[in-house]
Structures are given as structure tokens and as C-alpha cells.
Amino acid sequence: MEKDHWAGQCYSLDHGTHGENELMTQLALISVYDTATPEKHMYERFLFDLLKNRKPWESVSHKKMPTYDEHVNFVRSKPYKKWYIIDYKGPVGAIYLTNNNEIGIFIERHEQKRGFGSKSLDMLIEDSPDVEYFYANIGAFNSRSLAFFCMKGFIYDNQSYEDEKLLQYTYRFKNPAFVLPIPNRSSVD
């Protein structure tokens, strides 16, 4: 198929900040997998509500809204390498890293454009020195996410189609903190 005319193009979009110093000290990534039972239930509900509130063009990973029980079973199956609640005086969003090093971020609508997505992405990348490349799969009509990932230094990689209809763009980012694993000396000797 012919490359779409938007592929590889980045443009500026103001994502705002909420006082960088305050974000530095108060924003936290809380593992969805390592939380105590009362918080686990609260976070499962929060993640379900985030998913429920997405617009169809914002999601490429699911076609149909699961039931709450299906969602809880999915969360508890630990499907991602890392999955965090983005917390700033309470949950404001979520970020995950798949086993294929694909990043997903979603921030509650009323909390968007405050720098939470940008800072949480920086934190995830910094916490992943074993990942050489990160990928972002972006819905074909999700121009805000496209602009966000371009602003963060991601570059066009490819695009996917379903039934000859453009489904998504994939952008990649080379991790500046990537560290090659050091071979175990005892296995070499």
C-alpha cells in the first residue's frame, strides 16, 4: 500500500505543564501489579473507567468494551511488562509497557495538558535501561497522540492497515539510557 501522507510528519501541539518542580517531586508511578488489596480494587476500577471513557479513535488495542469482570481478569493476568497508575495527589492516568516494548498512555480528560503524560513517559523510559527501542502505536485519527510522541522524539516506523483501511501508525524511540547487558563471566570461562 502507498504510504499515507501524514506518515512521518510531526507538528507542534502545546501539552502544557503544571509546574515542573512540583511534578518532579509529587508525580509517582504506582505499579498496578504490586499494590495491596484495597488499592488494587480502586486501581482496577480506575483503569476500567479510563478505558470506558476513551473515544474509539483513541484506542488501537481493543475493539469492544469488556465487562468489568473481564477487565479485572485481564489486569490480574499481568499482560504487560510494566503497568503503572500515574499518581499526582490521586490517580490521573495510566502508562504501560508491553512485552514488545510498546508504550500506552492515557490521562483523564480533565487532567490532560498538564504535563502528566510527558513526565510519566520520561520516568518509564528512565526506569527501563534494558529496552533499546520503545514503540508507540497510534490510532490513525489520533492527532494529539501523534503530536505528543513526535514532541517526545519518537520517529515514524511504519503503518498498519485492516481491510485496506489505515488502522494505526507506529513510531519508535531509541532509549538514550539503553545499556547493553554484560555477559556473565562465569558462563564465558
Side-chain angles (χ1 to χ4, degrees):
M1 300 221 152
E2 202 171 293
K3 189 173 172 180
D4 184 86
H5 73 281
W6 285 105
Q9 295 186 17
C10 293
Y11 57 93
S12 177
L13 183 67
D14 177 23
H15 282 272
T17 60
H18 187 270
E20 189 63 29
N21 291 336
E22 191 175 351
L23 276 180
M24 291 285 198
T25 59
Q26 295 191 18
L27 189 75
L29 299 183
I30 301 170
S31 175
V32 172
Y33 302 144
D34 299 330
T35 55
T37 301
E39 290 85 9
K40 182 181 277 313
H41 295 303
M42 179 183 74
Y43 292 150
E44 289 166 347
R45 172 54 69 182
F46 176 76
L47 291 169
F48 182 75
D49 290 342
L50 270 181
L51 185 61
K52 186 172 64 173
N53 292 327
R54 283 189 193 173
K55 304 291 184 205
W57 48 268
E58 292 174 323
S59 183
V60 295
S61 59
H62 77 283
K63 304 281 187 232
K64 159 185 159 260
M65 184 66 191
T67 65
Y68 182 72
D69 288 339
E70 290 169 335
H71 166 75
V72 167
N73 289 335
F74 179 76
V75 172
R76 292 181 183 177
S77 75
K78 299 183 177 182
Y80 305 132
K81 189 186 301 187
K82 298 177 181 185
W83 198 353
Y84 298 107
I85 297 293
I86 302 167
D87 187 87
Y88 180 78
K89 302 176 184 178
V92 297
I95 185 168
Y96 63 81
L97 181 66
T98 71
N99 293 320
N100 294 323
N101 300 322
E102 299 157 326
I103 294 174
I105 304 173
F106 198 77
I107 307 295
E108 285 192 293
R109 294 211 186 288
H110 67 278
E111 299 289 2
Q112 292 177 0
K113 293 188 171 189
R114 296 180 65 189
F116 299 132
S118 182
K119 180 63 180 163
S120 62
L121 178 60
D122 293 345
M123 293 168 73
L124 178 70
I125 289 170
E126 184 179 308
D127 187 48
S128 305
D130 59 324
V131 176
E132 185 172 9
Y133 285 95
F134 294 95
Y135 299 90
N137 297 320
I138 304 164
F141 300 103
N142 194 344
S143 59
R144 290 181 64 193
S145 283
L146 178 62
F148 170 79
F149 282 104
C150 285
M151 177 192 73
K152 295 302 290 180
F154 281 65
I155 60 171
Y156 174 79
D157 188 75
N158 66 64
Q159 56 198 39
S160 303
Y161 292 85
E162 187 175 88
D163 299 325
E164 296 189 26
K165 181 180 172 188
L166 181 61
L167 180 65
Q168 71 182 28
Y169 297 108
T170 299
Y171 277 66
R172 73 176 183 281
F173 178 79
K174 184 163 178 45
N175 187 354
F178 175 67
V179 178
L180 281 172
I182 299 172
N184 184 344
R185 296 293 264 167
S186 63
S187 65
V188 175
D189 297 334

